Amino acid sequence: MSATRKIIHIDMDCFYAAIEERENPQLVGKPVGVGGGSRRGVLCTANYEARKFGCHSAMPIFKAMQKCPQLVLLPVRFSLYRSVSAQIKSIFARFTELIEPLSLDEAYLDLSHWESDGSAIAREIRAQIFEETSLHASAGIGPNKLVAKIASDLNKPNGQYEVTTDQLDEFMRQLPVGKIWGVGRKMQQRLDQQNIKTCADLQKFSRIQLAQQFGRWGNELYDLCRGIDQRKVSPHRVRKSLGKETTFSENRRHFNELELELKKLADEVEASWKNKLAEREVKSLVVKLKFEDFTQTTSERVSRSVDYQLAKELLGEALSRGNGKSVRLIGLSVKFADQTPQAQLEMDF
């Protein structure tokens, strides 16, 4: 058993679009988006040719067509994507039982029990994927999940990047803070205001200082900006929900103002669900509001999809409970139907 953890993050390149190109070689070289035939939907993914025009996942299809009028728009075929995903997972299983699926197109693998070099193992896994599916994968290799996932994005497409324990300190010091897990757009704006651009900037603060500024998250941030991540690769992780939230810079009071943000959240949640967790069945839709006095409420109803009309009804119900108070935060989420560990192993990838 190797004394150092050896974690690999495998991320398939433009997975849905790449499968469609494989199935129809005439699409190769053309900008391709997967997301359905209606201009009212959102893209699940776009290939690299389409990304050159600014198209990306979660973008409304009408906007993608404006940016790239020649975009070839295809409907999603989840049964096909799931079957390919299962095929890829079977390749992973040749190397380790410790596989943590994140979605149909990415997963963590714990190869700590291997004596071989992490980069060599990753190359072999990627080679077998291509040989058996004709699809390209990128990989990140590191001493933990945080570093491996960041690294997998550095040599895309069809590449890999390894961060060894000897390289970890320097790698993290140069890393932009926005690359850290959990640092979203709003958090990055807060850090920018303090001229904190890299992890080296963040490392200047003590654990106590970060906790004072960001609460419990600050304590975690202290470790993450140093590349410390003790999370295990968990093969049987089952996600119960998926959601998005927005905290307003200025409180909102009127339904019409909130409805605009709700539509944006609905598009983002639907795209994330279809792009990352398409194998999961939605059982209910939830709208959350936090009011000016920090009290909060949720409205939930049974739904099999991200039904925007239903979401508006839930928004009206939740807003009425505020008795005229303004809203500082709005959230939308879906809850997934229960899934047994066996089903998770069959479907997740």
Side-chain angles (χ1 to χ4, degrees):
M1 188 74 163
S2 173
T4 302
R5 294 176 72 200
K6 197 175 298 175
I7 310 299
I8 296 178
H9 178 254
I10 298 286
D11 193 2
M12 301 302 297
D13 297 327
C14 300
F15 188 52
Y16 296 177
I19 293 174
E20 296 294 347
E21 290 180 32
R22 184 192 70 176
E23 298 298 296
N24 181 4
Q26 293 183 348
L27 295 173
V28 176
K30 298 178 180 179
V32 175
V34 177
S38 170
R39 291 174 63 90
R40 300 185 62 183
V42 294
L43 286 180
C44 290
T45 191
N47 68 359
Y48 287 102
E49 284 77 10
R51 293 181 190 186
K52 294 175 184 176
F53 292 88
C55 301
H56 56 77
S57 62
M59 173 178 282
I61 287 174
F62 78 88
K63 186 175 292 186
M65 297 300 293
Q66 289 175 351
K67 289 180 174 291
C68 182
Q70 65 270 44
L71 182 70
V72 180
L73 185 63
L74 302 172
V76 293
R77 298 197 284 174
F78 288 129
S79 60
L80 173 61
Y81 309 151
R82 290 181 189 123
S83 66
V84 178
S85 178
Q87 187 180 1
I88 293 168
K89 186 179 176 182
S90 70
I91 295 173
F92 294 161
R94 299 168 190 168
F95 295 83
T96 181
E97 295 179 353
L98 295 176
I99 305 165
E100 180 178 334
L102 299 180
S103 62
L104 289 176
D105 64 345
E106 62 176 320
Y108 289 115
L109 284 67
D110 190 333
L111 281 301
S112 301
H113 58 289
W114 281 73
E115 293 295 333
S116 301
D117 176 76
S119 287
I121 302 171
R123 277 193 297 271
E124 180 60 25
I125 293 172
R126 293 172 51 238
Q128 291 190 24
I129 290 173
F130 181 74
E131 181 179 343
E132 298 178 31
T133 70
S134 300
L135 300 173
H136 291 299
S138 295
I141 308 99
N144 56 53
K145 291 162 69 172
L146 168 73
V147 175
K149 186 163 175 51
I150 293 171
S152 68
D153 198 42
L154 297 182
N155 256 338
K156 273 185 162 289
N158 192 28
Q160 63 183 59
Y161 191 97
E162 180 177 20
V163 180
T164 66
T165 51
D166 292 339
Q167 299 165 337
L168 181 59
D169 289 345
E170 183 61 25
F171 176 80
M172 293 306 300
R173 281 196 294 268
Q174 297 179 8
L175 192 73
V177 291
K179 296 288 187 181
I180 300 177
W181 172 82
V183 177
R185 179 170 51 87
K186 292 189 178 296
M187 172 64 80
Q188 192 165 356
Q189 289 174 352
R190 288 183 64 183
L191 295 172
D192 282 343
Q193 291 171 358
Q194 300 182 55
N195 200 33
I196 299 173
K197 308 292 185 181
T198 67
C199 286
D201 297 329
L202 201 53
Q203 290 174 12
K204 296 174 183 176
F205 294 82
S206 69
R207 188 183 294 274
I208 293 175
Q209 288 173 319
L210 290 176
Q212 287 173 338
Q213 286 196 61
F214 305 111
R216 186 170 58 183
W217 167 238
N219 186 54
E220 191 169 356
L221 197 58
Y222 180 88
D223 289 333
L224 294 178
C225 73
R226 290 165 170 78
I228 300 171
D229 180 11
Q230 303 297 338
R231 292 175 299 159
K232 295 181 179 179
V233 173
S234 304
H236 303 303
R237 188 185 71 154
V238 179
R239 187 163 188 167
K240 297 181 179 180
S241 65
L242 172 70
K244 302 282 185 179
E245 293 183 348
T246 296
T247 300
F248 299 115
S249 55
E250 295 183 4
N251 291 357
R252 303 287 193 268
R253 189 176 300 275
H254 302 294
F255 182 89
N256 290 344
E257 296 175 311
L258 295 168
E259 183 184 1
L260 291 173
E261 189 62 32
L262 183 69
K263 181 63 170 70
K264 177 183 174 184
L265 294 176
D267 287 344
E268 291 178 353
V269 170
E270 182 175 34
S272 293
W273 168 41
K274 291 181 176 179
N275 192 32
K276 296 296 185 183
L277 295 163
E279 74 281 5
R280 300 301 304 277
E281 178 184 352
V282 170
K283 71 173 183 179
S284 64
L285 191 63
V286 184
V287 169
K288 170 185 173 182
L289 294 180
K290 183 178 290 186
F291 297 104
E292 60 188 47
D293 59 356
F294 289 88
T295 60
Q296 65 182 45
T297 187
T298 58
S299 291
E300 179 176 355
R301 202 167 299 168
V302 172
S303 179
R304 296 290 186 181
S305 64
V306 186
D307 185 334
Y308 178 59
Q309 294 303 316
L310 175 58
K312 288 201 296 185
E313 293 179 21
L314 297 175
L315 172 61
E317 290 178 7
L319 187 60
S320 67
R321 298 173 191 158
N323 298 317
K325 290 181 288 190
S326 62
V327 175
R328 61 179 286 109
L329 177 148
I330 182 172
L332 179 73
S333 61
V334 291
K335 290 185 178 179
F336 296 119
D338 291 339
Q339 189 170 354
T340 64
Q342 180 61 33
Q344 179 77 358
L345 285 172
E346 291 174 353
M347 304 258 322
D348 216 350
F349 82 114

